[in-house]
Amino acid sequence: MSQQFSEIGFPFSGEQYAISQSKLSAKTVTMADANFLQSMNQTFAGQCVRCIGTVTNGIFKPNRTYFRNESNTGWIPDTQFIHFHDALTDEAGGLYRNIRLHNMHDVASGPFFYPNASLFKKTVTGTSDIINQGDRVDFSTESVTNGYVVGTLQGGTTNVGLSSAFAINGFATSGSRMTLKIGMGVEAVNLIAPIDRRYGIEACDSVGTARNYNMLSGDGSSWSIEPTSEAVQQTAPRGFVMFHSVGFHLKLFRNTTGGETFSIKTTHLPVSGAITSTKPFNIGYKTNEAVAKQYKLYSLVINASPALNLWPNIFD
């Protein structure tokens, strides 16, 4: 039986199969340090090399892979390198503005990092109000039992069939005898919870017990909450990131003493459809006693996708 090139168990013989050095170099991965790769005097279009060792020379840096371009005039880094999208080149990853331009139909966000009271549609009782305070926005209730303040972002819808997230930095001055609701598609704090598609955080108390936040979500048919260990009442801003991974989980990330932690919820998650344009995002605070309370908002960031067919992708 004659030995075949594809057979397993035989030594590889370049001489036997008439494979030249140039063929081997063009079709296999050369692993060498940066000095060797930089000084190579024979290269081939499509050639692949892996830089090992500890030294850097020219374009070559350790633990990276490079391909020779089709004109055999230069090397193209493959992966695992920092780039800034500041030039129209492969090495830079293309221009950042082009990334934004080609994905403008698929990103729903807004100028909320530096919040202003004027961003929100205000629904309040009595003297409750949304007030600019220099470094923040206060959602302040009146000192009347059941007084409330609701700030709503309105206009655009968001697609809950795609992953989304919001990040919020702020704190509530009271975690007892109050009701607090914050999130994507979450109902106004003075309303009974519907079964709408939504997710966020909430807390409620009427007996004077300090409460922790609950994670809240609804899939359009049912809704539920999941307790967390995060106290509502704080004395300084706290940062939360809530991430909705469609079909998998809802996670609430925050920093604690010694590191970062998160809570997870896997039931009654929205997996399709859209959040209505009347309440894409709500912040609501209600006092359940005759004492004024405030939720102090320092920043808010939303990253989501518009509802399907909101506008066309002109780059298709």
Side-chain angles (χ1 to χ4, degrees), residues 29-37 40 49-53 60:
V29 178
T30 299
M31 291 186 288
D33 68 13
N35 292 333
F36 179 90
L37 296 176
M40 283 186 5
V49 300
R50 179 72 176 178
C51 185
I52 59 176
F60 296 107

Side-chain angles (χ1 to χ4, degrees), residues 124-129 142 144 147-148:
V124 300
T125 58
T127 58
S128 301
D129 206 354
E142 61 180 339
V144 176
Y148 62 84

